[in-house]
Amino acid sequence: MPAIHRGHVYHIGGSPLVLSAADALVDLPDGALAVDDDGIIVWCGEWPDRPDHLADATVVDHGDAYILPGFVDTHMHFPQVYCADSYGGGQLLEWLDNCIFPSESLLADPGFAAHAAVEWCDRMITAGTTTGLIFGSQFPVAQDLLFQTAHDRGLRIVAGRTIHTVGPDSARALITSEDAAIELVREEIERWHPLDDAERRNALQFVAIVPRFSLAVTPRTLAALGEVYDEYRDRGVYFTSHLNENARPGTGEVDSVKAAYGVETYLDTYDGRFLPGSKTGGKSLLGRRSVMAHSVHCQDRELARMAETGTSIAHCPVSQQFLGSGTMPWKRTVAAGVNVAIGSDYSAGDEWFVPRLLNACFKVHISEAGDAGLSLHPAELLFTGTLAGARALDLEDRIGNFDVGKEADFVVLEPHRWDMYQHTLEHAVTPADPVMARDAHLFGVLMLAREPALTKTYVRGRRLATAAAA
Ligand SMILES: [Zn+2]
C-alpha cells in the first residue's frame, strides 16, 4: 500500500540548469509526497488535491516539518571520519602530511575500520546525506566494511579506494606498487560494482576509480587507470579526483602538478594528456560520471573541456575556507556550462550537513570581488545540494527531486527541534510580494537549518536508522 508523507514540500522539478532553478522551484506549503511499496514516487502535490486512487494510502503526517529531496554530497573522504579540524600548521600539503596520511593509515586495522564504517554511515544518515561520492580507504578490508555497512543501512554511495603509488614518507602505509594499485581497483569493481545492466538499475552502491590527485600517482599509473576505466566505463563505473584546489605560488598543489608532469593544465593529467607538453599518453578519465573536486583555480580551457565532456565539479566552500584555497569563481564556472554540485570534502570541511555547505556557498559567493560576486537564489542553493548532485553522478533519472517515477529519497526537517530555526522562521517579516515571500522563506529554511532539526532520512521510501537507533 502506498504511503503519503504530508508536510511543507520543496523541490526543484524537471531537469533545469542552475540558472533556471528559480523557475523550476516547487513550493507546496501543505504538500504531500506519495510513495509506493517499491519506494517510487507515484504522486507529489498539494494535500487537498490528492487523487482518489490514494484514498487508502497510509498517511505519515510530519506536521509542520519541511520535506526536501535527500542531500547529495559529491565529495567526501571515508578514512578521514575522525579527522575534522585537524591542525596541520599550514595549507593543503602540510595538512595532508602532518594529519591526514597518518590518520588514513589507521584503517589498516580491521577493528578500527569497522568502527569507522559504522560511524561514517551514521553521520551520513544523521545529516540527511542520502547519496555520497566517497574517496575510500586504501585498505580493502576497510572498503569491504564501508560497502557492506552502506548496503545494510540502505545508503546510496559511490566509493573507491584512494589510490597512491607515490608520496612522502608519511603516506608510506597508503602507497602500493602501480601493478598492485591496478589489481586492487579491478578487484573492488568486480566485488562491489553492479556490472550487470539490470542489477545496476536497482543498485544503491557503486564503485569509482579514485586517484587521490595527480601528485599521488605517476604517468604510468594514470595510463593504466585510463585503460581500466575504458574497460568498465559503459557499465557505470565512476571516476573522481581533486583538481586545482590549492594554488599557493611555487609550492602549492597546482604548481606542483604542473612541475611534476610538465603539463599546460592540471586537467590534462586526467584527460589522457599527462606527458610533458600535455602530449597524449593514454585514455581520458573525463565524462558524465566523472567529478572533479574543488576546481578553484581553473583555466578557461579546463572549464570548457569539463563542460564538453559532461564532467561535473564538486564545489566544497567549507573545505576551501579551512585550507585557505580561495573559492571556485561561481559566475565564470557556471557560465562555462559546467554542472556544479556541492561537496563537504569531509574532513577538510568540518560540516556533514549539506545546508551548512549551502550556507557557506552563499556567503563566499556574495563576497567574491567586484562583478564576480552574486547573491545566489535559494532555489539555486537547493538545486546545488540535490538535483545537481544527482546529475553529477548520472543518477538524475532516479533521484534528485520529487518528479513522479523517481526513487523517493527525502529528508524531514522539524523546526521545533532547533529553537532558533523555529522562532526565526515563525517571526521573520514576510515580504509583501508573494514570490519574494516564498523565496525568503526557503532561504531561511536552508540557511538557518542545523543538523538537530533533521529528524528523518529516507532512501527509496525506506526510513534509515543509525546504529544507535537500530
Ligand atoms: Zn578532498
Side-chain angles (χ1 to χ4, degrees), residues 432-454:
D433 176 68
V435 174
M436 185 57 104
R438 175 200 72 171
D439 295 347
H441 196 79
L442 173 59
F443 189 69
V445 167
L446 291 173
M447 294 289 284
L448 285 162
R450 298 295 188 275
E451 202 171 292
L454 194 141

Side-chain angles (χ1 to χ4, degrees), residues 6-251:
R6 185 178 184 183
H8 189 153
V9 172
Y10 284 113
H11 73 111
I12 304 296
S15 186
L17 296 172
V18 64
L19 291 171
S20 48
D23 298 331
L25 174 62
V26 178
D27 175 13
L28 307 167
D30 185 9
L33 181 67
V35 182
D36 72 10
D37 290 339
D38 295 324
I40 304 300
I41 296 167
V42 291
W43 181 79
C44 179
E46 294 281 5
W47 170 256
D49 300 338
R50 62 196 184 285
D52 292 342
H53 70 86
L54 294 172
D56 295 333
T58 307
V59 176
V60 185
D61 192 343
H62 297 284
D64 63 351
Y66 301 98
I67 299 175
L68 273 59
F71 300 125
V72 182
D73 187 337
T74 55
H75 186 54
M76 326 171 79
H77 292 264
F78 163 51
Q80 297 173 22
V81 63
Y82 301 119
C83 297
D85 293 319
S86 294
Y87 179 67
Q91 291 192 346
L92 173 65
L93 298 182
E94 294 81 6
W95 174 78
L96 286 172
D97 207 24
N98 294 324
C99 310
I100 297 307
F101 294 151
S103 298
E104 294 196 355
S105 303
L106 299 175
L107 276 82
D109 173 357
F112 187 89
H115 198 271
V118 170
E119 177 81 12
W120 182 267
C121 292
D122 278 1
R123 295 281 69 77
M124 281 185 68
I125 293 167
T126 306
T129 301
T130 49
T131 302
L133 174 57
I134 303 166
F135 280 56
S137 171
Q138 292 77 8
F139 307 105
V141 63
Q143 282 301 90
D144 287 348
L145 286 159
L146 174 65
F147 276 111
Q148 190 62 54
T149 309
H151 176 269
D152 294 347
R153 295 296 175 74
L155 277 167
R156 258 178 232 276
I157 64 165
V158 180
R161 70 180 299 272
T162 302
I163 300 161
H164 270 263
T165 55
V166 289
D169 271 358
S170 57
R172 196 179 309 130
L174 310 176
I175 296 170
T176 66
S177 70
E178 289 173 316
D179 290 345
I182 300 308
E183 192 53 39
L184 287 166
V185 166
R186 279 186 189 284
E187 282 174 16
E188 187 168 39
I189 292 170
E190 295 287 339
R191 185 167 170 79
W192 290 109
H193 189 78
L195 292 167
D196 174 76
D197 286 352
E199 200 187 331
R200 191 159 61 252
R201 278 194 289 276
N202 283 315
L204 297 180
Q205 290 86 38
F206 306 90
V207 173
I209 294 176
V210 190
R212 180 188 289 278
F213 62 159
S214 299
L215 293 177
V217 293
T218 68
R220 188 166 164 248
T221 321
L222 287 169
L225 291 177
E227 292 298 323
V228 176
Y229 194 47
D230 201 50
E231 191 181 320
Y232 289 104
R233 187 190 275 270
D234 291 345
R235 285 175 284 175
V237 168
Y238 291 83
F239 173 78
T240 190
S241 195
H242 295 94
L243 177 73
N244 288 325
E245 177 177 1
N246 192 283
R248 187 175 52 195
T251 56

